[in-house]
Amino acid sequence: MFAVRAFNHRKTMLYSFNLLIICIVIYVFISLRANHVDAREKNLHAGPAKTNVNQDIYKREAPLENEPPEAQGMPGRVNMHVFEDCCGGSLDQLRNNLLYPLFPNVRTTVSRLTVSPQWSNYGLRIFGYLHPSETEEFIFAVASDDNSEFWLSLDESPENIQLLAYVGETGNEWTAPGEFGKFASQISKPLLLVKDMKYFFEVVLKQNTGIDHLEIAWRLNHDNGTFSVITSEFLSLYGDESSLQMGDIEHIPQTKASYDRLLESIPSSPHPVGEKIREDPRDHIYKYKMLDESYLKDLFPECHYKPSYVFTKQIERYQGVYLVHFSSVYPNDYTRQTHDLNDEMCFYTQDPSFQADKGLAAYLTEVEDPDVQKIDTGEGPFWQRVYDVKPLNPASKQTTVVANSCRTAGNIVMSQDHAMHIVRAFLKALHSREETRGYSLLRVVNVVRREDKDVGSRYLVELELVGPHSQKVLVSRYVYAQAEDSSKQMFLCSPKAFNWNPSATVHVIVAVKNQARWIIQFIREMEKVYRATGDKNFNVIIIDYNSSDMDIEKRLKKAKLPSYKFKRMEGNFQRTGGLQAGIDLVEDEHSILFLCDLHLYYPVNIINSIRKHCIEGKMVYAPVVLRLDCDASPRVPNGLWEVAGYGLMGIYKSDMDRIGGMNTIEFTDTWGGEDWELLDRILGNGLEVERLHLRHFFHHFHSKRGMWVNNNPG
């Protein structure tokens, strides 16, 4: 009996032990599952900074191997998804749409990367594979109305795409068809593609209202390459969706450009740098070490220089503003106010090829698609119509007449072909000499052209070179070329007595009265320039009409400036009288005067810019300032170029004395017109006027309250 009880007891204990083991296993399993779910939820809510977007997307949705059948079966076309009833012009507005990118209204295909559905309030997503025909470096470009982006993968995987080019980000940016040079962001850097490989790409477009179009073009990385639209022979589908229902979404690729954002926070901006404050090598040209001037002596033969547009007698009152012409620049410095709503059609109508009756649509040429039956219903949408377009560069066709120009246009942009023709001729001369033979071109920093029609052109050529010991230097020199004969080799010469002095002292002169806030800001601007450049060859001159709201001289003594001069004047404020008083304080006639106003934001390269565009006895400099809108700032610089104003002027002291200085007789305690009168005398005394839009040079918006009182009894 005892043995039976003991056996039953051991049996019960064994059952209990097994049951305990089973419970522990179940408990551990449940705990691990709970921790996994909790960790997953934490990752989903952690935001993009802690989430691998691509990997997480593919885990939440079906894997990439669930592609539609016959994904490679339709070469010559690519997928296009249409999202209708989506307002606004920015891609953020499209991406914030809850239906994007999985639930389009229309799924279709197109045979080339140029579309114009003639519809409004929609978004497009075009994707597929690109097949280069040769192994080469390619440059891509995008043009659209409104915003768009072009993304390309390093291989056939959507997971590896990168943004190459785009048009805008606020919804206000747009281009004309084929206009690939309006924004710096439109053109990609060179990218090596390999023949017989395929590359996944994606294009995203957002259209609000007005003309709608999208073009993706490419060219080889050659000097004379021309962009052409990417056509069917280089394209293939990502997947054949013809047999799928709209509810089938597992095959739709999700990428960094387009993914379901239901559980993800939205980045504030996919583009870290705004177009209008983009860095340019010219902004910091003062940092370059100049090539030893002795190396350039007699580099070019000297030639007589007397432009046909230089006057030898006085001109009629206030006619000078109609006689000044713009110079052109290369590379594009993007001074055009592309973000301003006032841009509209003014810029494009100055293109001689513009057709007023057809507008921008005239630049599109419809191409027949043999795979699509054309049914003309008279109105859109025409989702499958495709087009051809030629590169459009209206920036090179703007009028040079300052008085007739658009206030949003910015500098005229010289063609690359023309600029490089000059650069190659310059380098040929450089390499013909033993001292400079070892220098090679690193970058074209700046080329400025002033054309004398049918006679020749003056150029300022600024090149960054690298020497035989890897030292980097800048060469900055004026040259002249006679009107070009295509059958002859380019001949450059050195215009006689036309050289700029890199060490000339620049005197910045301003007259003030009771404007303490702006006076302090002016001094701070000058300190900013000195702090950035370390340039000791400039001087600040303030003429004060007995201000009562601050001690200007005390503030100047504390300022970190290379030098300054201060003079107190009695009586009513006089701009002409104050500026002339400042001019009289300058003793060195071979130094430069810069006549200016208070309410300005200066680029840090302002002193360098003044020096190289002022030539003693030959040329004065009248930079165009951007007059900011009321709600604008240097960080968001919306406004219009002040093309009619000439109150900001750089001129050598000797030239100012020769033309008679400021007109203090006619313009006493009134102002307005004194700048035009001064311009008349400058031109009438045989001086050229260099007129260029200057990057980062802004006139702050301000009211008239607290301004100087006009006590003129008349």
Side-chain angles (χ1 to χ4, degrees):
M1 181 65 68
F2 178 81
V4 173
R5 289 178 179 175
F7 175 79
N8 289 335
H9 180 67
R10 286 196 299 273
K11 187 176 181 181
T12 301
M13 291 181 63
L14 182 60
Y15 287 158
S16 301
F17 179 79
N18 290 338
L19 182 61
L20 178 61
I21 294 299
I22 292 171
C23 291
I24 291 173
V25 171
I26 293 173
Y27 175 80
V28 170
F29 178 81
I30 293 174
S31 298
L32 290 175
R33 178 60 178 170
N35 288 335
H36 172 74
V37 172
D38 181 63
R40 182 174 180 272
E41 290 177 349
K42 288 180 179 178
N43 285 334
L44 289 176
H45 293 284
K50 298 182 179 180
T51 303
N52 185 319
V53 172
N54 294 320
Q55 294 178 0
D56 197 53
I57 286 171
Y58 294 125
K59 288 177 182 177
R60 294 203 300 271
E61 299 298 333
L64 283 176
E65 49 265 33
N66 291 340
E67 293 179 343
E70 300 180 5
Q72 316 302 324
M74 290 186 66
R77 309 192 72 82
V78 290
N79 300 88
M80 183 168 76
H81 289 183
V82 183
F83 298 84
E84 296 182 85
D85 301 322
C86 183
C87 299
S90 76
L91 290 174
D92 275 347
Q93 290 167 305
L94 173 62
R95 290 178 170 125
N96 290 339
N97 190 317
L98 292 176
L99 299 178
Y100 187 81
L102 300 178
F103 304 98
N105 296 78
V106 177
R107 293 178 186 165
T108 185
T109 62
V110 290
S111 61
R112 61 170 53 197
L113 301 187
T114 317
V115 297
S116 179
Q118 300 172 41
W119 205 237
S120 60
N121 297 324
Y122 69 86
L124 290 184
R125 185 188 185 203
I126 302 175
F127 55 95
Y129 294 109
L130 185 65
H131 302 263
S133 60
E134 54 186 306
T135 299
E136 260 282 11
E137 281 191 340
F138 288 81
I139 298 176
F140 293 87
V142 56
S144 65
D145 187 343
D146 296 300
N147 292 180
S148 64
E149 293 175 352
F150 174 69
W151 297 69
L152 183 68
S153 175
L154 302 175
D155 49 34
E156 65 183 70
S157 172
E159 191 171 5
N160 296 325
I161 65 169
Q162 55 185 333
L163 180 62
L164 294 191
Y166 64 92
V167 174
E169 59 179 335
T170 69
N172 294 324
E173 306 89 346
W174 54 273
T175 76
E179 185 185 14
F180 299 121
K182 184 174 182 178
F183 305 99
S185 61
Q186 288 178 255
I187 300 176
S188 76
K189 294 180 179 179
L191 189 67
L192 178 65
L193 301 183
V194 180
K195 182 181 179 181
D196 297 329
M197 282 190 65
K198 65 177 182 178
Y199 299 84
F200 177 86
F201 75 89
E202 179 173 347
V203 185
V204 191
L205 168 72
K206 184 67 195 71
Q207 164 64 7
N208 189 18
T209 58
I211 181 175
D212 56 330
H213 66 90
L214 168 70
E215 301 88 46
I216 305 297
W218 61 354
R219 69 172 176 85
L220 297 178
N221 185 24
H222 298 161
D223 275 351
N224 298 322
T226 301
F227 284 113
S228 60
V229 172
I230 301 176
T231 51
S232 60
E233 58 265 41
F234 307 107
L235 302 171
S236 68
L237 286 177
Y238 175 78
D240 183 3
E241 299 177 300
S242 58
S243 62
L244 299 179
Q245 295 181 319
M246 294 301 290
D248 297 328
I249 63 172
E250 292 80 12
H251 65 285
I252 297 176
Q254 297 197 53
T255 66
K256 286 181 285 188
S258 303
Y259 61 92
D260 183 11
R261 300 190 173 194
L262 182 63
L263 299 177
E264 299 287 348
S265 60
I266 301 174
S268 58
S269 171
H271 315 306
V273 180
E275 174 68 31
K276 290 178 288 185
I277 55 174
R278 182 182 295 273
E279 287 292 321
D280 185 287
R282 284 165 283 212
D283 297 341
H284 306 289
I285 199 168
Y286 57 86
K287 293 182 178 180
Y288 290 88
K289 180 181 178 181
M290 299 287 288
L291 180 66
D292 192 327
E293 184 63 25
S294 64
Y295 290 177
L296 302 175
K297 186 178 180 181
D298 301 325
L299 179 63
F300 300 101
E302 189 175 75
C303 54
H304 180 69
Y305 176 66
K306 190 173 183 180
S308 63
Y309 50 79
V310 170
F311 294 88
T312 57
K313 60 182 180 179
Q314 292 297 322
I315 60 177
E316 294 184 19
R317 174 62 67 94
Y318 297 154
Q319 292 303 301
V321 292
Y322 303 106
L323 302 174
V324 178
H325 287 244
F326 281 121
S327 295
S328 58
V329 303
Y330 177 85
N332 192 340
D333 62 355
Y334 298 96
T335 47
R336 177 180 168 192
Q337 282 299 96
T338 51
H339 294 63
D340 197 292
L341 296 178
N342 295 312
D343 186 45
E344 293 302 326
M345 301 305 297
C346 172
F347 182 80
Y348 297 97
T349 55
Q350 293 189 343
D351 181 352
S353 66
F354 181 81
Q355 301 179 40
D357 57 332
K358 296 182 179 179
L360 298 177
Y363 295 116
L364 288 168
T365 304
E366 186 174 352
V367 177
E368 183 178 351
D369 185 345
D371 297 327
V372 176
Q373 182 180 2
K374 183 176 179 180
I375 302 176
D376 194 349
T377 60
E379 60 180 21
F382 306 119
W383 298 123
Q384 291 188 293
R385 288 192 183 181
V386 292
Y387 298 80
D388 196 12
V389 68
K390 295 180 180 179
L392 177 66
N393 185 21
S396 65
K397 301 175 182 179
Q398 297 299 296
T399 176
T400 63
V401 180
V402 174
N404 297 338
S405 66
C406 293
R407 295 185 66 191
T408 58
N411 284 320
I412 301 170
V413 181
M414 200 186 322
S415 71
Q416 181 187 37
D417 186 55
H418 185 96
M420 292 307 298
H421 198 33
I422 298 298
V423 170
R424 282 190 288 268
F426 194 102
L427 291 174
K428 184 178 180 180
L430 205 64
H431 293 157
S432 67
R433 305 181 65 167
E434 185 66 32
E435 308 96 294
T436 52
R437 190 167 297 157
Y439 286 87
S440 57
L441 178 66
L442 191 61
R443 173 164 51 184
V444 178
V445 178
N446 187 38
V447 180
V448 180
R449 179 193 187 193
R450 177 64 167 92
E451 183 180 10
D452 191 2
K453 196 169 180 62
D454 300 326
V455 177
S457 295
R458 163 178 50 81
Y459 298 89
L460 172 63
V461 180
E462 298 187 289
L463 309 175
E464 184 181 7
L465 308 175
V466 58
H469 304 294
S470 300
Q471 72 275 29
K472 296 179 182 179
V473 294
L474 178 77
V475 58
S476 178
R477 196 166 187 85
Y478 281 99
V479 294
Y480 183 79
Q482 292 183 345
E484 190 173 339
D485 184 345
S486 58
S487 64
K488 297 181 180 179
Q489 187 176 3
M490 171 65 68
F491 175 76
L492 300 181
C493 61
S494 179
K496 186 176 181 180
F498 205 94
N499 297 304
W500 71 279
N501 182 0
S503 60
T505 299
V506 177
H507 302 272
V508 183
I509 307 174
V510 65
V512 302
K513 180 180 178 67
N514 288 337
Q515 291 281 296
R517 294 180 305 156
W518 289 106
I519 293 170
I520 293 173
Q521 180 59 30
F522 168 74
I523 296 173
R524 284 160 52 89
E525 284 290 312
M526 294 296 99
E527 288 178 314
K528 176 191 74 177
V529 171
Y530 181 50
R531 184 168 56 249
T533 65
D535 191 333
K536 295 184 180 299
N537 292 332
F538 84 92
N539 178 48
V540 174
I541 299 177
I542 297 181
I543 305 301
D544 174 38
Y545 279 86
N546 203 22
S547 292
S548 59
D549 57 353
M550 72 169 292
D551 187 336
I552 299 175
E553 190 170 17
K554 182 178 180 181
R555 179 63 180 84
L556 280 170
K557 289 179 179 179
K558 295 181 178 179
K560 295 181 179 179
L561 296 170
S563 63
Y564 72 87
K565 289 186 178 181
F566 173 78
K567 183 175 181 179
R568 185 174 287 107
M569 304 278 284
E570 299 296 330
N572 296 329
F573 174 80
Q574 300 179 31
R575 184 175 189 271
T576 54
L579 291 177
Q580 186 59 51
I583 293 169
D584 293 339
L585 292 177
V586 177
E587 298 176 356
D588 181 7
E589 66 174 4
H590 303 298
S591 60
I592 302 172
L593 314 171
F594 186 64
L595 314 177
C596 67
D597 290 325
L598 268 187
H599 311 94
L600 301 177
Y601 177 94
Y602 294 84
V604 291
N605 66 343
I606 182 66
I607 303 301
N608 178 275
S609 182
I610 294 169
R611 282 197 190 105
K612 68 187 178 187
H613 294 301
C614 288
I615 310 297
E616 190 169 9
K618 300 288 186 178
M619 186 167 73
V620 305
Y621 181 41
V624 185
V625 67
L626 183 70
R627 187 174 290 275
L628 296 174
D629 293 338
C630 181
D631 58 348
S633 72
R635 294 182 180 273
V636 187
N638 293 318
L640 297 173
W641 290 105
E642 190 56 79
V643 295
Y646 288 84
L648 310 174
M649 182 77 71
I651 181 172
Y652 268 87
K653 173 68 159 50
S654 59
D655 292 326
M656 192 60 155
D657 290 343
R658 179 164 63 90
I659 67 173
M662 301 298 296
N663 187 341
T664 58
I665 298 175
E666 293 186 57
F667 301 92
T668 52
D669 55 355
T670 62
W671 55 93
E674 76 280 0
D675 55 337
W676 285 18
E677 189 274 339
L678 176 62
L679 177 65
D680 290 343
R681 287 187 286 120
I682 287 172
L683 293 172
N685 280 274
L687 293 170
E688 290 188 61
V689 176
E690 185 73 296
R691 190 69 161 161
L692 290 165
H693 301 79
L694 182 57
R695 285 169 52 85
H696 306 303
F697 191 32
F698 306 124
H699 184 281
H700 291 279
F701 177 88
H702 60 89
S703 69
K704 300 293 184 180
R705 292 190 304 273
M707 294 291 286
W708 309 293
V709 178
N710 182 358
N711 292 323
N712 184 4

